[in-house]
Amino acid sequence: MGVRLMVVDDHRLLAEALASALKLRGHRVLAAAAPAAGAAELVISRAPEVCLLGTATPAEPGTFDPVARIKRERPQVAVVVLGPVPSPRGIAAAFAAGASGYVRHDERIEGVERAIMKARAGEAAVAPQLLQGAFGELLNPAAQPDDEGQRLLQMLTPREVEVLVRVADGEDTRLIAAGMGIAPSTARTHVQRVLMKLGVGSRLEAAALAARTGLLERAGPLPHTAPVPPARPETGAAGPQ
């Protein structure tokens, strides 16, 4: 017995081709609509047994909001997501929103039909190879991309980080020394070490690199330092004449 279903995908040609293939296999396809923004309203108004809902970005926040709304207002509708090879987070997000299955866009029509029948029967419809891939990524996660800002921050001592923040704020050696309560010669040494560790040749380059890599945001605000009191004027040793 054919399934009463809908196909909703951003790619109209893909949606229409899938709908035509499913009709040839004896299913009643109510609509093949492209706009993702109106997917929930369309499905809620037609109330099919199964909805095939396409997405190109399964890992982005909010992608499965239409699924959640459909399940909230039409809980009897089984939603099967059509998408690219998902990350574990993408599969988890789809099922957390209430989806009954996840099928790759390039799945053969036989695999799509199996997912439809499982979803209508109340079963989870996910191809074993997708689950194997998801578990494999969870067990052996790919290395995270190099975070240059964090790497540079780890190269500097807390004192040098403060010096870099002050350099980025435009302070000269005298102001750095006064703000940190150190001698100007010590401040100058700290600046030179910061430039050397960052691999730059000037304070301007250091400030630009820190801003580009987000190092300044990671460093946080400068520590509070008490203002340096002005030096007292020297008095002569001799008394009044």
Side-chain angles (χ1 to χ4, degrees), residues 67-107:
V67 179
R69 183 179 171 193
I70 292 168
K71 296 305 293 184
R72 184 170 60 250
E73 300 191 28
R74 294 285 188 181
Q76 73 277 14
V77 176
V79 180
V80 176
V81 175
L82 291 168
V85 177
S87 65
R89 182 177 299 179
I91 290 182
F95 279 90
S100 298
Y102 193 107
V103 179
R104 285 175 49 168
H105 267 141
D106 58 356
E107 179 65 65

PDB file of all heavy atoms in Angstrom, residues 67-107:
ATOM      1  N   VAL A  67      11.159  20.960  11.607  1.00  0.00           N
ATOM      2  CA  VAL A  67      10.846  19.615  12.088  1.00  0.00           C
ATOM      3  C   VAL A  67      10.174  19.690  13.449  1.00  0.00           C
ATOM      4  O   VAL A  67       9.148  19.040  13.707  1.00  0.00           O
ATOM      5  CB  VAL A  67      12.116  18.744  12.177  1.00  0.00           C
ATOM      6  CG1 VAL A  67      11.774  17.354  12.716  1.00  0.00           C
ATOM      7  CG2 VAL A  67      12.795  18.637  10.821  1.00  0.00           C
ATOM      8  N   ALA A  68      10.759  20.493  14.336  1.00  0.00           N
ATOM      9  CA  ALA A  68      10.200  20.626  15.681  1.00  0.00           C
ATOM     10  C   ALA A  68       8.779  21.180  15.642  1.00  0.00           C
ATOM     11  O   ALA A  68       7.897  20.723  16.380  1.00  0.00           O
ATOM     12  CB  ALA A  68      11.097  21.529  16.524  1.00  0.00           C
ATOM     13  N   ARG A  69       8.535  22.143  14.760  1.00  0.00           N
ATOM     14  CA  ARG A  69       7.188  22.721  14.683  1.00  0.00           C
ATOM     15  C   ARG A  69       6.196  21.707  14.117  1.00  0.00           C
ATOM     16  O   ARG A  69       5.056  21.591  14.600  1.00  0.00           O
ATOM     17  CB  ARG A  69       7.208  23.978  13.806  1.00  0.00           C
ATOM     18  CG  ARG A  69       5.844  24.645  13.777  1.00  0.00           C
ATOM     19  CD  ARG A  69       5.812  25.890  12.952  1.00  0.00           C
ATOM     20  NE  ARG A  69       4.442  26.342  12.810  1.00  0.00           N
ATOM     21  CZ  ARG A  69       4.053  27.263  11.942  1.00  0.00           C
ATOM     22  NH1 ARG A  69       4.941  27.842  11.149  1.00  0.00           N
ATOM     23  NH2 ARG A  69       2.790  27.610  11.864  1.00  0.00           N
ATOM     24  N   ILE A  70       6.599  20.976  13.085  1.00  0.00           N
ATOM     25  CA  ILE A  70       5.713  19.959  12.517  1.00  0.00           C
ATOM     26  C   ILE A  70       5.323  18.932  13.581  1.00  0.00           C
ATOM     27  O   ILE A  70       4.152  18.568  13.725  1.00  0.00           O
ATOM     28  CB  ILE A  70       6.389  19.261  11.319  1.00  0.00           C
ATOM     29  CG1 ILE A  70       6.534  20.240  10.150  1.00  0.00           C
ATOM     30  CG2 ILE A  70       5.590  18.030  10.880  1.00  0.00           C
ATOM     31  CD1 ILE A  70       7.429  19.739   9.030  1.00  0.00           C
ATOM     32  N   LYS A  71       6.313  18.458  14.341  1.00  0.00           N
ATOM     33  CA  LYS A  71       6.034  17.433  15.356  1.00  0.00           C
ATOM     34  C   LYS A  71       5.201  17.998  16.500  1.00  0.00           C
ATOM     35  O   LYS A  71       4.441  17.267  17.141  1.00  0.00           O
ATOM     36  CB  LYS A  71       7.348  16.867  15.887  1.00  0.00           C
ATOM     37  CG  LYS A  71       8.178  16.132  14.847  1.00  0.00           C
ATOM     38  CD  LYS A  71       7.396  15.016  14.162  1.00  0.00           C
ATOM     39  CE  LYS A  71       7.059  13.885  15.132  1.00  0.00           C
ATOM     40  NZ  LYS A  71       6.373  12.765  14.427  1.00  0.00           N
ATOM     41  N   ARG A  72       5.363  19.294  16.750  1.00  0.00           N
ATOM     42  CA  ARG A  72       4.578  19.915  17.818  1.00  0.00           C
ATOM     43  C   ARG A  72       3.108  20.051  17.413  1.00  0.00           C
ATOM     44  O   ARG A  72       2.207  19.823  18.226  1.00  0.00           O
ATOM     45  CB  ARG A  72       5.173  21.286  18.146  1.00  0.00           C
ATOM     46  CG  ARG A  72       4.489  21.978  19.328  1.00  0.00           C
ATOM     47  CD  ARG A  72       5.270  23.211  19.770  1.00  0.00           C
ATOM     48  NE  ARG A  72       5.392  24.205  18.712  1.00  0.00           N
ATOM     49  CZ  ARG A  72       6.515  24.509  18.085  1.00  0.00           C
ATOM     50  NH1 ARG A  72       7.642  23.868  18.385  1.00  0.00           N
ATOM     51  NH2 ARG A  72       6.548  25.428  17.143  1.00  0.00           N
ATOM     52  N   GLU A  73       2.850  20.435  16.154  1.00  0.00           N
ATOM     53  CA  GLU A  73       1.482  20.691  15.720  1.00  0.00           C
ATOM     54  C   GLU A  73       0.842  19.494  14.995  1.00  0.00           C
ATOM     55  O   GLU A  73      -0.389  19.384  14.967  1.00  0.00           O
ATOM     56  CB  GLU A  73       1.455  21.926  14.813  1.00  0.00           C
ATOM     57  CG  GLU A  73       1.965  23.180  15.521  1.00  0.00           C
ATOM     58  CD  GLU A  73       1.687  24.440  14.736  1.00  0.00           C
ATOM     59  OE1 GLU A  73       0.697  24.463  13.968  1.00  0.00           O
ATOM     60  OE2 GLU A  73       2.448  25.411  14.889  1.00  0.00           O
ATOM     61  N   ARG A  74       1.673  18.617  14.422  1.00  0.00           N
ATOM     62  CA  ARG A  74       1.164  17.412  13.764  1.00  0.00           C
ATOM     63  C   ARG A  74       2.022  16.227  14.184  1.00  0.00           C
ATOM     64  O   ARG A  74       2.807  15.679  13.405  1.00  0.00           O
ATOM     65  CB  ARG A  74       1.221  17.574  12.239  1.00  0.00           C
ATOM     66  CG  ARG A  74       0.301  18.640  11.680  1.00  0.00           C
ATOM     67  CD  ARG A  74      -1.139  18.192  11.666  1.00  0.00           C
ATOM     68  NE  ARG A  74      -1.994  19.143  10.959  1.00  0.00           N
ATOM     69  CZ  ARG A  74      -3.301  19.006  10.804  1.00  0.00           C
ATOM     70  NH1 ARG A  74      -3.894  17.929  11.296  1.00  0.00           N
ATOM     71  NH2 ARG A  74      -3.999  19.907  10.163  1.00  0.00           N
ATOM     72  N   PRO A  75       1.910  15.789  15.427  1.00  0.00           N
ATOM     73  CA  PRO A  75       2.799  14.733  15.922  1.00  0.00           C
ATOM     74  C   PRO A  75       2.674  13.418  15.172  1.00  0.00           C
ATOM     75  O   PRO A  75       3.593  12.588  15.220  1.00  0.00           O
ATOM     76  CB  PRO A  75       2.371  14.569  17.382  1.00  0.00           C
ATOM     77  CG  PRO A  75       1.006  15.162  17.469  1.00  0.00           C
ATOM     78  CD  PRO A  75       0.972  16.255  16.451  1.00  0.00           C
ATOM     79  N   GLN A  76       1.568  13.212  14.454  1.00  0.00           N
ATOM     80  CA  GLN A  76       1.397  11.953  13.728  1.00  0.00           C
ATOM     81  C   GLN A  76       2.201  11.915  12.435  1.00  0.00           C
ATOM     82  O   GLN A  76       2.361  10.849  11.820  1.00  0.00           O
ATOM     83  CB  GLN A  76      -0.098  11.724  13.414  1.00  0.00           C
ATOM     84  CG  GLN A  76      -0.689  12.606  12.320  1.00  0.00           C
ATOM     85  CD  GLN A  76      -1.125  13.975  12.823  1.00  0.00           C
ATOM     86  OE1 GLN A  76      -0.760  14.392  13.925  1.00  0.00           O
ATOM     87  NE2 GLN A  76      -1.947  14.656  12.027  1.00  0.00           N
ATOM     88  N   VAL A  77       2.719  13.071  11.980  1.00  0.00           N
ATOM     89  CA  VAL A  77       3.505  13.123  10.745  1.00  0.00           C
ATOM     90  C   VAL A  77       4.936  12.667  11.039  1.00  0.00           C
ATOM     91  O   VAL A  77       5.600  13.205  11.915  1.00  0.00           O
ATOM     92  CB  VAL A  77       3.519  14.547  10.154  1.00  0.00           C
ATOM     93  CG1 VAL A  77       4.419  14.604   8.920  1.00  0.00           C
ATOM     94  CG2 VAL A  77       2.102  14.987   9.787  1.00  0.00           C
ATOM     95  N   ALA A  78       5.411  11.676  10.287  1.00  0.00           N
ATOM     96  CA  ALA A  78       6.796  11.222  10.426  1.00  0.00           C
ATOM     97  C   ALA A  78       7.669  12.018   9.458  1.00  0.00           C
ATOM     98  O   ALA A  78       7.368  12.084   8.266  1.00  0.00           O
ATOM     99  CB  ALA A  78       6.893   9.731  10.123  1.00  0.00           C
ATOM    100  N   VAL A  79       8.717  12.636   9.991  1.00  0.00           N
ATOM    101  CA  VAL A  79       9.600  13.469   9.163  1.00  0.00           C
ATOM    102  C   VAL A  79      10.920  12.734   8.935  1.00  0.00           C
ATOM    103  O   VAL A  79      11.578  12.312   9.885  1.00  0.00           O
ATOM    104  CB  VAL A  79       9.871  14.828   9.826  1.00  0.00           C
ATOM    105  CG1 VAL A  79      10.782  15.672   8.938  1.00  0.00           C
ATOM    106  CG2 VAL A  79       8.562  15.565  10.108  1.00  0.00           C
ATOM    107  N   VAL A  80      11.277  12.585   7.662  1.00  0.00           N
ATOM    108  CA  VAL A  80      12.568  12.005   7.297  1.00  0.00           C
ATOM    109  C   VAL A  80      13.395  13.108   6.644  1.00  0.00           C
ATOM    110  O   VAL A  80      12.963  13.726   5.666  1.00  0.00           O
ATOM    111  CB  VAL A  80      12.406  10.817   6.330  1.00  0.00           C
ATOM    112  CG1 VAL A  80      13.777  10.294   5.891  1.00  0.00           C
ATOM    113  CG2 VAL A  80      11.596   9.708   6.989  1.00  0.00           C
ATOM    114  N   VAL A  81      14.566  13.369   7.187  1.00  0.00           N
ATOM    115  CA  VAL A  81      15.424  14.435   6.673  1.00  0.00           C
ATOM    116  C   VAL A  81      16.255  13.919   5.505  1.00  0.00           C
ATOM    117  O   VAL A  81      16.812  12.823   5.550  1.00  0.00           O
ATOM    118  CB  VAL A  81      16.349  14.966   7.788  1.00  0.00           C
ATOM    119  CG1 VAL A  81      17.340  15.986   7.221  1.00  0.00           C
ATOM    120  CG2 VAL A  81      15.522  15.590   8.909  1.00  0.00           C
ATOM    121  N   LEU A  82      16.314  14.719   4.449  1.00  0.00           N
ATOM    122  CA  LEU A  82      17.170  14.450   3.294  1.00  0.00           C
ATOM    123  C   LEU A  82      18.326  15.445   3.350  1.00  0.00           C
ATOM    124  O   LEU A  82      18.100  16.654   3.390  1.00  0.00           O
ATOM    125  CB  LEU A  82      16.406  14.654   1.986  1.00  0.00           C
ATOM    126  CG  LEU A  82      15.299  13.663   1.641  1.00  0.00           C
ATOM    127  CD1 LEU A  82      14.475  14.209   0.485  1.00  0.00           C
ATOM    128  CD2 LEU A  82      15.897  12.326   1.274  1.00  0.00           C
ATOM    129  N   GLY A  83      19.559  14.961   3.377  1.00  0.00           N
ATOM    130  CA  GLY A  83      20.668  15.891   3.482  1.00  0.00           C
ATOM    131  C   GLY A  83      21.987  15.289   3.063  1.00  0.00           C
ATOM    132  O   GLY A  83      22.064  14.140   2.643  1.00  0.00           O
ATOM    133  N   PRO A  84      23.060  16.086   3.169  1.00  0.00           N
ATOM    134  CA  PRO A  84      24.398  15.585   2.846  1.00  0.00           C
ATOM    135  C   PRO A  84      24.890  14.641   3.929  1.00  0.00           C
ATOM    136  O   PRO A  84      24.200  14.408   4.929  1.00  0.00           O
ATOM    137  CB  PRO A  84      25.237  16.864   2.803  1.00  0.00           C
ATOM    138  CG  PRO A  84      24.524  17.787   3.752  1.00  0.00           C
ATOM    139  CD  PRO A  84      23.070  17.480   3.598  1.00  0.00           C
ATOM    140  N   VAL A  85      26.098  14.113   3.744  1.00  0.00           N
ATOM    141  CA  VAL A  85      26.667  13.248   4.769  1.00  0.00           C
ATOM    142  C   VAL A  85      26.753  14.051   6.058  1.00  0.00           C
ATOM    143  O   VAL A  85      27.444  15.073   6.116  1.00  0.00           O
ATOM    144  CB  VAL A  85      28.063  12.746   4.358  1.00  0.00           C
ATOM    145  CG1 VAL A  85      28.665  11.905   5.469  1.00  0.00           C
ATOM    146  CG2 VAL A  85      27.981  11.956   3.073  1.00  0.00           C
ATOM    147  N   PRO A  86      26.065  13.644   7.098  1.00  0.00           N
ATOM    148  CA  PRO A  86      25.989  14.481   8.301  1.00  0.00           C
ATOM    149  C   PRO A  86      27.113  14.191   9.283  1.00  0.00           C
ATOM    150  O   PRO A  86      27.724  13.122   9.274  1.00  0.00           O
ATOM    151  CB  PRO A  86      24.648  14.071   8.910  1.00  0.00           C
ATOM    152  CG  PRO A  86      24.549  12.613   8.561  1.00  0.00           C
ATOM    153  CD  PRO A  86      25.226  12.451   7.210  1.00  0.00           C
ATOM    154  N   SER A  87      27.362  15.156  10.134  1.00  0.00           N
ATOM    155  CA  SER A  87      28.234  14.928  11.279  1.00  0.00           C
ATOM    156  C   SER A  87      27.388  14.280  12.373  1.00  0.00           C
ATOM    157  O   SER A  87      26.151  14.291  12.298  1.00  0.00           O
ATOM    158  CB  SER A  87      28.784  16.257  11.789  1.00  0.00           C
ATOM    159  OG  SER A  87      27.727  17.060  12.293  1.00  0.00           O
ATOM    160  N   PRO A  88      28.009  13.694  13.395  1.00  0.00           N
ATOM    161  CA  PRO A  88      27.214  13.168  14.516  1.00  0.00           C
ATOM    162  C   PRO A  88      26.286  14.220  15.101  1.00  0.00           C
ATOM    163  O   PRO A  88      25.152  13.926  15.478  1.00  0.00           O
ATOM    164  CB  PRO A  88      28.283  12.726  15.515  1.00  0.00           C
ATOM    165  CG  PRO A  88      29.478  12.419  14.693  1.00  0.00           C
ATOM    166  CD  PRO A  88      29.452  13.406  13.566  1.00  0.00           C
ATOM    167  N   ARG A  89      26.759  15.461  15.139  1.00  0.00           N
ATOM    168  CA  ARG A  89      25.918  16.545  15.672  1.00  0.00           C
ATOM    169  C   ARG A  89      24.708  16.773  14.784  1.00  0.00           C
ATOM    170  O   ARG A  89      23.612  17.049  15.275  1.00  0.00           O
ATOM    171  CB  ARG A  89      26.746  17.831  15.777  1.00  0.00           C
ATOM    172  CG  ARG A  89      25.982  19.007  16.364  1.00  0.00           C
ATOM    173  CD  ARG A  89      26.878  20.226  16.515  1.00  0.00           C
ATOM    174  NE  ARG A  89      27.982  19.955  17.423  1.00  0.00           N
ATOM    175  CZ  ARG A  89      28.924  20.842  17.718  1.00  0.00           C
ATOM    176  NH1 ARG A  89      28.922  22.030  17.155  1.00  0.00           N
ATOM    177  NH2 ARG A  89      29.885  20.532  18.567  1.00  0.00           N
ATOM    178  N   GLY A  90      24.892  16.639  13.452  1.00  0.00           N
ATOM    179  CA  GLY A  90      23.770  16.832  12.546  1.00  0.00           C
ATOM    180  C   GLY A  90      22.700  15.771  12.731  1.00  0.00           C
ATOM    181  O   GLY A  90      21.500  16.071  12.763  1.00  0.00           O
ATOM    182  N   ILE A  91      23.118  14.517  12.846  1.00  0.00           N
ATOM    183  CA  ILE A  91      22.146  13.441  13.079  1.00  0.00           C
ATOM    184  C   ILE A  91      21.446  13.638  14.417  1.00  0.00           C
ATOM    185  O   ILE A  91      20.223  13.505  14.529  1.00  0.00           O
ATOM    186  CB  ILE A  91      22.851  12.066  13.046  1.00  0.00           C
ATOM    187  CG1 ILE A  91      23.301  11.736  11.626  1.00  0.00           C
ATOM    188  CG2 ILE A  91      21.916  10.966  13.547  1.00  0.00           C
ATOM    189  CD1 ILE A  91      23.971  10.385  11.489  1.00  0.00           C
ATOM    190  N   ALA A  92      22.228  13.960  15.453  1.00  0.00           N
ATOM    191  CA  ALA A  92      21.642  14.152  16.784  1.00  0.00           C
ATOM    192  C   ALA A  92      20.640  15.295  16.778  1.00  0.00           C
ATOM    193  O   ALA A  92      19.563  15.200  17.379  1.00  0.00           O
ATOM    194  CB  ALA A  92      22.752  14.418  17.803  1.00  0.00           C
ATOM    195  N   ALA A  93      20.972  16.400  16.075  1.00  0.00           N
ATOM    196  CA  ALA A  93      20.068  17.549  16.031  1.00  0.00           C
ATOM    197  C   ALA A  93      18.768  17.205  15.323  1.00  0.00           C
ATOM    198  O   ALA A  93      17.685  17.644  15.734  1.00  0.00           O
ATOM    199  CB  ALA A  93      20.762  18.724  15.340  1.00  0.00           C
ATOM    200  N   ALA A  94      18.867  16.408  14.251  1.00  0.00           N
ATOM    201  CA  ALA A  94      17.655  16.017  13.517  1.00  0.00           C
ATOM    202  C   ALA A  94      16.717  15.199  14.396  1.00  0.00           C
ATOM    203  O   ALA A  94      15.511  15.464  14.467  1.00  0.00           O
ATOM    204  CB  ALA A  94      18.044  15.231  12.260  1.00  0.00           C
ATOM    205  N   PHE A  95      17.270  14.213  15.088  1.00  0.00           N
ATOM    206  CA  PHE A  95      16.423  13.371  15.940  1.00  0.00           C
ATOM    207  C   PHE A  95      15.953  14.111  17.185  1.00  0.00           C
ATOM    208  O   PHE A  95      14.847  13.866  17.674  1.00  0.00           O
ATOM    209  CB  PHE A  95      17.164  12.085  16.301  1.00  0.00           C
ATOM    210  CG  PHE A  95      17.114  11.042  15.220  1.00  0.00           C
ATOM    211  CD1 PHE A  95      18.091  10.981  14.239  1.00  0.00           C
ATOM    212  CD2 PHE A  95      16.070  10.150  15.157  1.00  0.00           C
ATOM    213  CE1 PHE A  95      18.044  10.041  13.227  1.00  0.00           C
ATOM    214  CE2 PHE A  95      15.996   9.197  14.155  1.00  0.00           C
ATOM    215  CZ  PHE A  95      16.987   9.140  13.177  1.00  0.00           C
ATOM    216  N   ALA A  96      16.771  15.016  17.684  1.00  0.00           N
ATOM    217  CA  ALA A  96      16.345  15.801  18.851  1.00  0.00           C
ATOM    218  C   ALA A  96      15.152  16.686  18.507  1.00  0.00           C
ATOM    219  O   ALA A  96      14.297  16.951  19.356  1.00  0.00           O
ATOM    220  CB  ALA A  96      17.510  16.662  19.350  1.00  0.00           C
ATOM    221  N   ALA A  97      15.085  17.137  17.252  1.00  0.00           N
ATOM    222  CA  ALA A  97      13.954  17.970  16.829  1.00  0.00           C
ATOM    223  C   ALA A  97      12.701  17.153  16.580  1.00  0.00           C
ATOM    224  O   ALA A  97      11.611  17.714  16.436  1.00  0.00           O
ATOM    225  CB  ALA A  97      14.328  18.739  15.557  1.00  0.00           C
ATOM    226  N   GLY A  98      12.841  15.809  16.500  1.00  0.00           N
ATOM    227  CA  GLY A  98      11.678  14.959  16.308  1.00  0.00           C
ATOM    228  C   GLY A  98      11.659  14.187  15.014  1.00  0.00           C
ATOM    229  O   GLY A  98      10.658  13.534  14.696  1.00  0.00           O
ATOM    230  N   ALA A  99      12.749  14.249  14.233  1.00  0.00           N
ATOM    231  CA  ALA A  99      12.787  13.510  12.971  1.00  0.00           C
ATOM    232  C   ALA A  99      12.751  12.013  13.229  1.00  0.00           C
ATOM    233  O   ALA A  99      13.248  11.525  14.238  1.00  0.00           O
ATOM    234  CB  ALA A  99      14.050  13.870  12.177  1.00  0.00           C
ATOM    235  N   SER A 100      12.161  11.291  12.280  1.00  0.00           N
ATOM    236  CA  SER A 100      12.102   9.825  12.371  1.00  0.00           C
ATOM    237  C   SER A 100      13.221   9.156  11.600  1.00  0.00           C
ATOM    238  O   SER A 100      13.440   7.952  11.744  1.00  0.00           O
ATOM    239  CB  SER A 100      10.757   9.324  11.824  1.00  0.00           C
ATOM    240  OG  SER A 100       9.682   9.834  12.586  1.00  0.00           O
ATOM    241  N   GLY A 101      13.924   9.919  10.754  1.00  0.00           N
ATOM    242  CA  GLY A 101      14.989   9.321   9.972  1.00  0.00           C
ATOM    243  C   GLY A 101      15.864  10.349   9.306  1.00  0.00           C
ATOM    244  O   GLY A 101      15.560  11.549   9.284  1.00  0.00           O
ATOM    245  N   TYR A 102      16.977   9.877   8.758  1.00  0.00           N
ATOM    246  CA  TYR A 102      17.913  10.728   8.017  1.00  0.00           C
ATOM    247  C   TYR A 102      18.406   9.917   6.828  1.00  0.00           C
ATOM    248  O   TYR A 102      18.909   8.811   6.986  1.00  0.00           O
ATOM    249  CB  TYR A 102      19.088  11.137   8.901  1.00  0.00           C
ATOM    250  CG  TYR A 102      19.920  12.267   8.314  1.00  0.00           C
ATOM    251  CD1 TYR A 102      19.859  13.541   8.842  1.00  0.00           C
ATOM    252  CD2 TYR A 102      20.753  12.046   7.225  1.00  0.00           C
ATOM    253  CE1 TYR A 102      20.607  14.581   8.299  1.00  0.00           C
ATOM    254  CE2 TYR A 102      21.497  13.064   6.665  1.00  0.00           C
ATOM    255  CZ  TYR A 102      21.422  14.334   7.214  1.00  0.00           C
ATOM    256  OH  TYR A 102      22.147  15.364   6.668  1.00  0.00           O
ATOM    257  N   VAL A 103      18.262  10.500   5.629  1.00  0.00           N
ATOM    258  CA  VAL A 103      18.658   9.829   4.396  1.00  0.00           C
ATOM    259  C   VAL A 103      19.528  10.785   3.584  1.00  0.00           C
ATOM    260  O   VAL A 103      19.225  11.979   3.483  1.00  0.00           O
ATOM    261  CB  VAL A 103      17.420   9.428   3.557  1.00  0.00           C
ATOM    262  CG1 VAL A 103      17.849   8.753   2.254  1.00  0.00           C
ATOM    263  CG2 VAL A 103      16.509   8.507   4.351  1.00  0.00           C
ATOM    264  N   ARG A 104      20.601  10.271   3.027  1.00  0.00           N
ATOM    265  CA  ARG A 104      21.463  11.106   2.198  1.00  0.00           C
ATOM    266  C   ARG A 104      20.761  11.516   0.909  1.00  0.00           C
ATOM    267  O   ARG A 104      19.949  10.769   0.354  1.00  0.00           O
ATOM    268  CB  ARG A 104      22.755  10.354   1.859  1.00  0.00           C
ATOM    269  CG  ARG A 104      23.719  10.259   2.994  1.00  0.00           C
ATOM    270  CD  ARG A 104      24.910   9.416   2.666  1.00  0.00           C
ATOM    271  NE  ARG A 104      25.522   9.774   1.369  1.00  0.00           N
ATOM    272  CZ  ARG A 104      26.707   9.330   0.985  1.00  0.00           C
ATOM    273  NH1 ARG A 104      27.404   8.523   1.771  1.00  0.00           N
ATOM    274  NH2 ARG A 104      27.204   9.691  -0.184  1.00  0.00           N
ATOM    275  N   HIS A 105      21.106  12.713   0.412  1.00  0.00           N
ATOM    276  CA  HIS A 105      20.512  13.201  -0.833  1.00  0.00           C
ATOM    277  C   HIS A 105      20.782  12.263  -2.006  1.00  0.00           C
ATOM    278  O   HIS A 105      19.954  12.155  -2.918  1.00  0.00           O
ATOM    279  CB  HIS A 105      21.090  14.591  -1.169  1.00  0.00           C
ATOM    280  CG  HIS A 105      20.259  15.714  -0.645  1.00  0.00           C
ATOM    281  ND1 HIS A 105      20.809  16.852  -0.104  1.00  0.00           N
ATOM    282  CD2 HIS A 105      18.914  15.883  -0.567  1.00  0.00           C
ATOM    283  CE1 HIS A 105      19.840  17.675   0.276  1.00  0.00           C
ATOM    284  NE2 HIS A 105      18.684  17.113   0.010  1.00  0.00           N
ATOM    285  N   ASP A 106      21.949  11.611  -1.993  1.00  0.00           N
ATOM    286  CA  ASP A 106      22.308  10.757  -3.124  1.00  0.00           C
ATOM    287  C   ASP A 106      21.923   9.292  -2.911  1.00  0.00           C
ATOM    288  O   ASP A 106      22.381   8.415  -3.642  1.00  0.00           O
ATOM    289  CB  ASP A 106      23.806  10.869  -3.417  1.00  0.00           C
ATOM    290  CG  ASP A 106      24.662  10.481  -2.206  1.00  0.00           C
ATOM    291  OD1 ASP A 106      24.092  10.207  -1.125  1.00  0.00           O
ATOM    292  OD2 ASP A 106      25.897  10.468  -2.338  1.00  0.00           O
ATOM    293  N   GLU A 107      21.082   9.027  -1.929  1.00  0.00           N
ATOM    294  CA  GLU A 107      20.629   7.646  -1.678  1.00  0.00           C
ATOM    295  C   GLU A 107      19.786   7.158  -2.858  1.00  0.00           C
ATOM    296  O   GLU A 107      19.022   7.920  -3.460  1.00  0.00           O
ATOM    297  CB  GLU A 107      19.809   7.618  -0.385  1.00  0.00           C
ATOM    298  CG  GLU A 107      19.249   6.252  -0.022  1.00  0.00           C
ATOM    299  CD  GLU A 107      20.367   5.266   0.301  1.00  0.00           C
ATOM    300  OE1 GLU A 107      21.076   5.473   1.299  1.00  0.00           O
ATOM    301  OE2 GLU A 107      20.509   4.290  -0.475  1.00  0.00           O
TER     302      GLU A 107
END
